């Protein structure tokens, strides 16, 4: 416990996953407001970091408001925004074919990209809850044709109040089975592109961050970059998943309320 306290005392910026950590579906998890109040009380920076690219920070801020949390848009960083930033650096002015929801497509348009279904410069796969067979077929055609192929994140499932729904990782496997090709770059947690974008956004050294999340292979895997990780057992991961896991969290708590109590004791 002393080691956990010492790690927490070194943190300058907390990163929080949303699905399964702060809320499930349309239900706020107990202790979320107390957690945010404690961060503000101690003057600690924080950002919400989500791999879910089906919404932009605009929609997430609106959702937080509906759940009773007043979260500014600039405190929310999605894999969709990180992907747009990556593409702006590596494919400036590109025409994109995007498999994604209207909010994700609007994210790319806000960053100055042209969206097209005719001979794009690159193909982007997002978490598309409006997915159709025609979209998948066109994506596979572009992948087979050798177009640059970027995925916003790797999550296999998305947690909901009723269980899980297939996420982008499942679609990556489908495309790979059809084409024999996987994304050239995956942007979101736990990959380096989102870590680089995050450090640029927050202004803190990578090692000064703590990631609080519910998923081992995305949230906790960020530890490979020197980020302190805290696992909450309120979402996808259960205690029984920990023995033998490739990804070992620095801190394990039941939920965000328990994380609040731990940070309060550390301070």
């Amino acid at each position: 416990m002393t080691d956990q306290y010492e790690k927490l005392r070194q943190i300058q910026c907390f990163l929080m996953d949303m699905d399964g950590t702060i809320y499930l579906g349309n239900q706020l998890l107990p202790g979320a407001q107390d957690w945010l109040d404690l961060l503000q009380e101690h003057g600690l920076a924080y950002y919400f970091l989500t791999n879910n690219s089906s919404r932009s920070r605009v929609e997430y801020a609106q959702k937080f408001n509906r759940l009773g949390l007043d979260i500014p848009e600039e405190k929310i960083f999605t894999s969709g925004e990180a992907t747009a930033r990556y593409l702006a650096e590596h494919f400036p002015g590109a025409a994109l074919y995007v498999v994604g929801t209207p909010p994700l497509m609007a994210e790319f348009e806000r960053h100055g990209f042209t969206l097209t279904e005719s001979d794009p410069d690159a193909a982007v796969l997002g978490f598309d809850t409006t997915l159709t067979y025609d979209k998948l077929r066109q994506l596979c055609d572009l992948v087979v044709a050798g177009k640059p192929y970027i995925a916003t994140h790797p999550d296999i499932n998305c947690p909901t109040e009723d269980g899980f729904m297939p996420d982008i990782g499942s679609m990556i496997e489908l495309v790979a089975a059809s084409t024999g090709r996987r994304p050239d770059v995956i942007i979101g947690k736990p990959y380096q592109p989102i870590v680089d974008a995050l450090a640029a956004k927050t202004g803190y050294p990578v090692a000064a961050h703590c990631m609080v999340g519910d998923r081992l292979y995305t949230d906790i895997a960020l530890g490979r970059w020197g980020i302190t990780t805290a696992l909450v057992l309120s979402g996808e991961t259960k205690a029984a998943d920990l023995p033998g896991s490739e990804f070992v969290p620095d801190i394990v708590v039941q939920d965000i309320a328990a994380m609040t109590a731990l940070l309060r004791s550390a301070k």
Side-chain angles (χ1 to χ4, degrees), residues 124-198:
V124 180
L125 175 60
F127 176 26
D128 189 1
T129 54
T130 63
L131 188 64
T132 64
Y133 187 85
D134 285 343
K135 287 183 180 182
L136 274 174
R137 182 176 179 179
Q138 188 160 357
L139 174 64
C140 288
D141 286 346
L142 294 169
V143 170
V144 169
K147 294 287 185 178
Y149 171 31
I150 294 92
T152 59
H153 61 287
D155 299 37
I156 297 168
N157 289 308
C158 179
T160 73
E161 292 172 288
D162 304 318
F164 299 98
M165 62 186 293
D167 204 323
I168 185 176
S170 302
M171 300 306 108
I172 289 173
E173 296 304 318
L174 186 156
V175 173
S178 175
T179 68
R181 189 175 164 206
R182 294 181 178 276
D184 302 316
V185 180
I186 300 177
I187 303 297
K189 299 176 290 185
Y191 295 101
Q192 187 168 4
I194 202 167
V195 174
D196 293 341
L198 178 70

